[in-house]
Amino acid sequence: MRNVVIDPFPHLSRRGFLAGVTGSLALTAINAFPATPGCSLIGEQEEGPYYVDDETLRRNITEGKPGVPLELAVMLVDAKSCRPLGNAALDIWHCDAGGVYSGFTAMSPDGGPGGPGGPGGGRGPGGPGGPPPQFDGGPGGPGGPGFGPGGLGGPGGRGSRQIDPTRFLRGVQLTDEKGRAEFSTVYPGWYSGRAIHIHVKAHIGGAAAAKYAGGHVAHTGQFFFPEDLTERIARIEPYARRLAVHRTTQVEDHVFNEQHGAECMLTMERLGKADSDGFRAIATLAIDPEATPSPVGGGGGGRGRGPGGPPPGRG
């Protein structure tokens, strides 16, 4: 008989992601999780077109990028047993304060070369209203193999994508025996068509060296931020430089509205007296470690999606 765990956040849907953990500002993120985490299975969300399977194992992924400091702490648990999942790889990626993803710095989501607001200003590949980035498909997407040659962005994978060598704001961390992992990053910026978010994958069964290789993808999803906080962050430099670019809110965001985004909200704690001092973001992520879920939505290029298949989404 399965053990019954009382959900400490009953106001959230039992269907999916439970992120609503609170804790004292005096605690570090790694100690701010509930003693009894929620263990409802989170539903999948789309990968988006900006995934690269070349991230290094590292905690600090900023590479000097400016922005409001963000400490992201995630607890990974088995949705079937409610036990923590140790030695799993949490893989995250997000855009910088200017709305640009590493690996795609010449292909702005807002259109035009050189990133948002760059020369041209047109609706280039990946920009709302313009042609999306093209993919060759191949393994490595949700439900496919994990990292390694032939995966997304690796040798033999998605060859038509123009992936540059930058890797800022991307990284992988292994969970500890309590299923916990932390990242040091910055609050993401925005670009037209998507609410502010952080992408996440959970890889199971691989091996770790300088990079994580092998295994399978057990979950693909996204984290979202409180809108009232984002509104304040948007008025802090360097984010304020992009106030002329429409910031898509969660009410307007297709992933948030169609893929249970309200269940994927991060709990935020201020690190200092002012918003500019940074925040701690906390989440509990319950997955089926044996699953290899099928891709969701139009984002990404999961297994079998090749030329002529559905185009990727907006990140």
Side-chain angles (χ1 to χ4, degrees):
M1 181 176 179
R2 178 181 171 181
N3 293 331
V4 176
V5 176
I6 298 175
D7 184 353
F9 306 105
H11 59 287
L12 295 180
S13 168
R14 294 297 301 171
R15 175 174 177 267
F17 181 91
L18 291 177
V21 189
T22 58
S24 168
L25 285 175
L27 298 176
T28 62
I30 209 70
N31 293 320
F33 295 100
T36 305
C39 61
S40 293
L41 180 69
I42 173 176
E44 299 294 294
Q45 293 169 314
E46 64 187 60
E47 175 189 278
Y50 300 109
Y51 177 62
V52 178
D53 70 347
D54 188 37
E55 296 92 321
T56 301
L57 271 76
R58 56 182 181 170
R59 184 183 189 280
N60 190 322
I61 63 174
T62 58
E63 294 191 18
K65 281 288 179 178
V68 171
L70 182 72
E71 296 293 323
L72 175 65
V74 181
M75 176 188 287
L76 191 66
V77 300
D78 187 329
K80 296 179 292 184
S81 66
C82 298
R83 295 176 180 171
L85 287 171
N87 203 39
L90 280 177
D91 176 7
I92 71 167
W93 69 102
H94 64 84
C95 70
D96 65 10
V100 175
Y101 282 89
S102 63
F104 302 91
T105 57
M107 187 176 64
S108 163
D110 288 334
R123 294 178 180 264
Q134 296 301 307
F135 300 86
D136 283 342
F147 295 107
L152 306 184
R158 288 189 182 178
S160 62
R161 297 203 302 173
Q162 299 300 310
I163 302 175
D164 65 48
T166 60
R167 294 294 182 267
F168 56 82
L169 305 178
R170 298 178 183 269
V172 176
Q173 279 284 278
L174 297 182
T175 56
D176 64 17
E177 68 280 0
K178 295 183 179 179
R180 300 168 176 178
E182 292 190 58
F183 295 88
S184 294
T185 184
V186 296
Y187 205 97
W190 68 90
Y191 50 92
S192 299
R194 285 302 320 276
I196 289 180
H197 60 284
I198 291 177
H199 292 273
V200 61
K201 280 182 180 284
H203 301 258
I204 305 292
K211 298 180 183 293
Y212 189 87
H216 69 278
V217 177
H219 173 73
T220 301
Q222 300 182 23
F223 297 136
F224 292 91
F225 296 81
E227 282 288 348
D228 58 343
L229 174 58
T230 293
E231 182 66 25
R232 301 200 309 266
I233 297 295
R235 302 185 181 283
I236 300 174
E237 291 292 344
Y239 309 91
R241 301 172 194 173
R242 290 184 42 81
L243 286 174
V245 176
H246 174 69
R247 182 177 67 79
T248 301
T249 64
Q250 290 161 2
V251 172
E252 304 168 295
D253 185 73
H254 74 285
V255 174
F256 189 87
N257 288 295
E258 299 170 15
Q259 300 170 25
H260 54 87
E263 300 166 9
C264 304
M265 297 294 294
L266 293 162
T267 291
M268 309 297 295
E269 299 176 348
R270 188 185 285 166
L271 294 174
K273 294 182 179 180
D275 289 346
S276 58
D277 294 330
F279 288 84
R280 179 176 300 121
I282 306 168
T284 301
L285 185 61
I287 69 169
D288 179 354
E290 299 177 357
T292 54
S294 299
V296 171
R303 179 180 298 213
R305 180 180 294 132
R314 295 181 180 176

